[in-house]
Amino acid sequence: MKTHSIAIDGPAGAGKSSVAREVASQLGFVYVDTGALYRAIALFSTEYPSVQQFLANLESDCHLELKYFGGTQCIFLNGENVTDKLRTAEITMKASELSALPQVRAFLLETQKDIAKAYNVIMDGRDIGTVVLPDADLKIYLTASAEERASRRYLELEDKPDAPSYEQILADIQQRDYNDMHRAIAPLQQAKDAILLDSTNMGFHEVCEEILSLAEKHLELE
Ligand code: DC
């Protein structure tokens, strides 16, 4: 059976995951957060004293599984549900660094392609439209200014204990943008046939509506 796919790429904090989750639930598609796969690999790497040792054990000892509970993606690393351990500042930065390694990208490529072969998916990441699903039915490049992305993140975190300052969040976002856009393999870039959505001055629902209406045009849904 031919499956449908929507690719959403864009920089950190552009709102890809919340938008993709909502659109997936409206369309009855599986939402695949590929960043969580890179984050799980970053967590796995913390078990090793050096990058060389981590890479030497990646293929043989890192077993990742995606499972869905009520539409929410959970990620299992060697049988353990590690979903709640993936959002720390340390893992975030490590995922961005390790995702530049060709071995890491190759390791995850087939996993991502296989999911899209099995289900109708909306997949978000950095290289979905360019590398993982070059034949996706619809490709979106979702972005917003770095300042707007930092300020959204700041508002999400401000009530939490030890919340970082706006300046720290902005600096982290700029560092991750730089890493993600300048790596040699599969850097973050807008695919030639992707539709650009700049959400700097758009609300969440507006972005979702826009993607749903594009999906209606580009996908032959029953
Ligand atoms: O989307 P995220 O912030 O959870 O992603 C974490 C890191 O993983 C991001 O900085 C870059 C990397 N990543 C990637 O290189 N390719 C993807 N398709 C998804 C994420």
Side-chain angles (χ1 to χ4, degrees), residues 151-167:
S151 106
R152 288 178 194 164
R153 186 83 187 122
Y154 177 72
L155 291 176
E156 260 171 43
L157 294 177
E158 69 177 339
D159 294 334
K160 303 238 161 83
D162 300 325
S165 65
Y166 167 81
E167 287 72 23

Side-chain angles (χ1 to χ4, degrees), residues 3-194:
T3 53
H4 295 293
S5 56
I6 300 177
I8 304 192
D9 290 303
K16 299 184 299 293
S17 50
S18 25
V19 163
R21 194 175 297 115
E22 174 61 21
V23 172
S25 112
Q26 301 253 353
L27 293 176
F29 280 24
V30 171
Y31 163 52
V32 186
D33 166 9
T34 63
L37 294 167
Y38 288 89
R39 288 168 181 269
I41 287 203
L43 181 66
F44 173 76
S45 78
T46 61
E47 292 168 24
Y48 296 92
S50 71
V51 173
Q52 285 73 15
Q53 289 182 50
F54 146 68
L55 286 177
N57 290 282
L58 181 61
E59 286 263 352
S60 54
D61 290 358
C62 181
H63 182 59
L64 295 178
E65 279 172 294
L66 292 181
K67 294 186 185 174
Y68 291 86
F69 300 102
T72 301
Q73 173 182 293
C74 288
I75 184 148
F76 285 69
L77 169 62
N78 295 330
E80 184 197 348
N81 185 350
V82 293
T83 315
D84 291 341
K85 297 185 178 172
L86 303 180
R87 302 270 146 203
T88 65
E90 188 203 347
I91 294 296
T92 299
M93 214 36 97
K94 210 176 256 298
S96 178
E97 284 162 26
L98 296 180
S99 65
L101 300 173
Q103 297 91 328
V104 169
R105 303 210 73 82
F107 180 74
L108 289 180
L109 188 58
E110 286 312 307
T111 308
Q112 298 169 87
K113 282 180 179 286
D114 286 349
I115 300 170
K117 273 185 211 145
Y119 305 101
N120 290 330
V121 293
I122 176 158
M123 199 175 265
D124 83 1
R126 305 293 188 287
D127 62 340
I128 309 305
T130 49
V131 176
V132 180
L133 304 177
D135 298 324
D137 300 294
L138 170 63
K139 299 181 188 178
I140 306 285
Y141 189 84
L142 182 62
T143 189
S145 71
E147 291 73 17
E148 172 64 18
R149 289 183 279 135
S151 106
R152 288 178 194 164
R153 186 83 187 122
Y154 177 72
L155 291 176
E156 260 171 43
L157 294 177
E158 69 177 339
D159 294 334
K160 303 238 161 83
D162 300 325
S165 65
Y166 167 81
E167 287 72 23
Q168 182 59 54
I169 294 174
L170 180 60
D172 284 357
I173 281 189
Q174 287 168 331
Q175 179 65 55
R176 289 176 69 201
D177 283 358
Y178 185 86
N179 291 351
D180 295 348
M181 290 174 185
H182 290 85
R183 62 178 176 237
I185 302 170
L188 169 63
Q189 56 187 8
Q190 184 179 343
K192 281 198 197 71
D193 49 353

Side-chain angles (χ1 to χ4, degrees), residues 201-220:
N201 297 307
M202 287 170 90
F204 170 74
H205 292 291
E206 211 181 328
V207 176
C208 294
E209 287 307 317
E210 182 64 30
I211 297 178
L212 283 165
S213 99
L214 288 166
E216 222 167 87
K217 275 188 224 148
H218 287 76
L219 279 69
E220 285 164 24

